[in-house]
Amino acid sequence: MNIDNNMYFAKDGNADVFLANYEKNLSKSKLRTGYIIVPLGLQYNFSKVKNAGMDIQYRDYNNGFKIGANIYGGVKMATNNIIKGDGISDRGRENYQVNPFIYGGQFTVSYDDFSIFVKKDFGNFFKDNKFENDKALVFGVALWW
């Protein structure tokens, strides 16, 4: 999660997380959390049915138009608070009240090796709803090379 306008994540004496303003310029301010994620989903391939002989038919997985839907869940591995700028260079691995679990869904439309997807987190990024509406919504393009 990148933060702009010279803001950074800080903690008070009670370990509550809040956004603080840095007096000078910040070139980088982000809170990065890594998760191990396990997806579970279905994909349907609309490509032509091919005949392999002996009454065996199949669809080529790599070619054609495909639609997929996934759900996913994950467990937090580490959190880093990275701050760099005028007079500061800090990387903290402390507890920033980030949820230990993540879950959500993804919808994908593909043609051959080109995919467009939308991914939505269903759980909040921070514990106890520290920040309102902090669920991620990601649009993306995937290429296979």
Side-chain angles (χ1 to χ4, degrees):
M1 177 179 311
N2 288 328
I3 302 122
D4 295 329
N5 300 327
N6 295 325
M7 303 291 280
Y8 66 98
F9 283 102
K11 296 188 315 181
D12 63 14
N14 296 328
D16 288 332
V17 178
F18 64 95
L19 283 173
N21 190 13
Y22 189 66
E23 309 294 319
K24 301 175 186 175
N25 278 339
L26 288 177
S27 59
K28 184 186 283 188
S29 176
K30 63 180 165 180
L31 185 65
R32 182 172 56 194
T33 302
Y35 291 90
I36 291 182
I37 297 176
V38 176
L40 176 64
L42 297 171
Q43 177 175 289
Y44 186 77
N45 188 329
F46 291 94
S47 67
K48 293 180 182 178
V49 175
K50 294 184 178 183
N51 191 349
M54 296 176 45
D55 294 331
I56 297 173
Q57 295 181 336
Y58 69 96
R59 295 183 191 270
D60 187 353
Y61 176 79
N62 294 319
N63 296 324
F65 179 70
K66 301 172 282 265
I67 294 179
N70 298 329
I71 57 172
Y72 59 87
V75 178
K76 180 178 83 167
M77 298 307 294
T79 299
N80 292 312
N81 188 20
I82 302 166
I83 306 167
K84 291 184 182 179
D86 295 344
I88 189 168
S89 180
D90 186 41
R91 178 179 288 234
R93 291 183 176 238
E94 301 161 13
N95 181 4
Y96 283 90
Q97 303 300 322
V98 175
N99 267 327
F101 303 104
I102 189 171
Y103 59 96
Q106 179 173 326
F107 180 74
T108 306
V109 176
S110 304
Y111 186 78
D112 291 343
D113 292 334
F114 179 79
S115 299
I116 298 173
F117 66 89
V118 61
K119 179 178 165 184
K120 173 71 173 156
D121 288 344
F122 297 145
N124 288 331
F125 186 69
F126 290 96
K127 294 179 188 176
D128 303 326
N129 297 324
K130 291 284 182 194
F131 298 95
E132 288 186 35
N133 202 16
D134 67 352
K135 297 174 183 81
L137 178 62
V138 178
F139 295 92
V141 175
L143 303 172
W144 182 266
W145 42 70

